[in-house]
Amino acid sequence: MSSPGGTPEPTGTGDEAGTDAVFTAMLEDSAEDLYDSAPCGYLSTLMDGTIAKINKTLLDWLGLERESVVGRTRFADLLTIGGKLYHETHFAPLLRMQGEVRGIALELRTAEGGRLPVLLSSQVKYGGAGQPLLIRTTVSDASDRRAYEMELLRRRQQAEQARAEAERERAAAERERAAAEEARRTAEADRKRLADALAVLQKSLLPDTLPNLPGMEAAVYYHTASPDRLGGDFYDLFPVGANTWAFFLGDVCGKGPQAAALTSLTRYTLRAAAHHDPEPVAALTTLNAVLHERYTAGGDPRYCTCVFGVLQPGPDGRTTVRLASGGHPPALILRADGRADFLTTPGGLLVGVLADAPFTAAGTTLAPGDTLLLYTDGLTEARTGPARESLYGEEALLAFAAAQAPATPREVIKALTGLLDGFGEGLDDDTALLALGVPATPAPIRPGTNHTR
């Protein structure tokens, strides 16, 4: 509908008419205004790149004035150095061949020397005869996109660095594990070689087997507290005459190689002394003189405890025993009638401490069924109780022996072996056991039994 003067009238009435008028006014922007104020940059260039037209949006982004650009500047001059190189080698050749290029990422230089990341799309305008006239280019601000890409790149680099660091740590951990495993194998091999060497050396300090003792039985047991350390306990049984046998059992001070040297000297000194004079007091006196001269007199006091004795089996089946002790626990006798008693040896100092140490002999007779037991203090000093605070002691040993009597040497050693095993970690010292007995009934002569652990 039109008014008489020909002016269009708005349709509708009231608020609807006002809204239509505002909307119509907004749509009346000129094409030039739409070009100049567009949300993206526009420019047109001649075929040689000279800028013929550029919108205000792009000028504002770059901080340039229209008068200083139009007709005076080539498009390539707006690019960074790297952008110029890309424009000459890729962008311009593609545009000439294809007539258009789209979505090319480059950077423009601002008037203040900054860089503006953009996306370019260009198209050649041709004349009626097909000749190229100018190039139209659309410029989109890619700052946010570039920031997003840079953030993605940074995160990717961080992830790569974290992965590389984790890989390095894994490789380092693997190397450490391999080194630790190699060190463990080496240490285990070293421990085994040491244990083998110590076992050979320990064996050289003890008799391989007990000799055949006519008319008697003998059994022995040796417990080593640590396979990595030489023990200091020793024993021996050997003939010194046609019908006389010597025996000894003892414990040297200390552990390790020095204790082994002392053990070796003690054992061979006693054997030599017994062949010279088998009397117990004489043998211990000789040993005392040797140890005192070798160690204590030179300022390195070393000593041992020791029981030395001789056996003389009689034609009536009874065996006479004479012995002397140098600071050693008393021998224990299990009788055939079920009793068990200590054989007290009065006096007797540690062997090797004093130049003139007094020793006193004691004696007894072993009847058929009797057994004489010698032991080192590893047995009586084994720690017992829930907290391992109590020592087993001689009274407990006497009660245990009484519960076993009567018993042969083999039976006594077997029972005591079970007792020692029951101590577990409470048995932390070497322990030597030597049992000598007269059979209750005549038995074939057999080699003595030797148990060593």
Side-chain angles (χ1 to χ4, degrees), residues 199-228:
V200 171
L201 181 55
Q202 185 77 68
K203 187 176 180 180
S204 70
L205 300 175
L206 300 170
D208 291 336
T209 59
L210 295 181
N212 176 37
L213 191 59
M216 296 190 68
E217 291 182 358
V220 70
Y221 178 80
Y222 190 92
H223 167 81
T224 302
S226 172
D228 299 330

Side-chain angles (χ1 to χ4, degrees), residues 28 58 153 163 210 351 357 435 449:
E28 289 179 353
L58 184 55
L153 179 60
R163 184 196 63 78
L210 295 181
V351 182
T449 301

Side-chain angles (χ1 to χ4, degrees), residues 334-340 368-370 405-406:
L334 285 71
R335 298 294 182 181
D337 60 6
R339 293 179 296 113
D370 292 346

Side-chain angles (χ1 to χ4, degrees), residues 342-389:
F342 287 115
L343 178 58
T344 304
T345 48
L349 298 176
L350 294 174
V351 182
V353 175
L354 300 178
D356 297 317
F359 301 105
T360 304
T364 189
T365 300
L366 297 180
D370 292 346
T371 295
L372 175 70
L373 173 66
L374 304 178
Y375 54 91
T376 56
D377 59 9
L379 170 58
T380 54
E381 293 182 0
R383 293 176 288 110
T384 62
R388 303 295 186 186
E389 294 178 348

Side-chain angles (χ1 to χ4, degrees), residues 213-286:
L213 191 59
M216 296 190 68
E217 291 182 358
V220 70
Y221 178 80
Y222 190 92
H223 167 81
T224 302
S226 172
D228 299 330
R229 188 177 61 181
L230 286 171
D233 291 3
F234 59 91
Y235 62 86
D236 208 342
L237 174 65
F238 53 96
V240 291
N243 194 39
T244 303
W245 294 78
F247 64 89
F248 58 78
L249 180 141
D251 184 6
V252 303
C253 65
K255 302 293 181 184
Q258 293 179 328
L262 181 57
T263 299
S264 179
L265 177 61
T266 298
R267 183 164 177 256
Y268 291 109
T269 297
L270 284 176
R271 287 182 69 97
H275 284 289
H276 176 71
D277 185 350
E279 284 302 314
V281 170
L284 290 184
T285 300
T286 300

Side-chain angles (χ1 to χ4, degrees), residues 424-435:
E425 295 181 356
L427 185 62
D428 56 4
D429 195 7
D430 302 320
T431 304
L433 306 173
L434 175 62

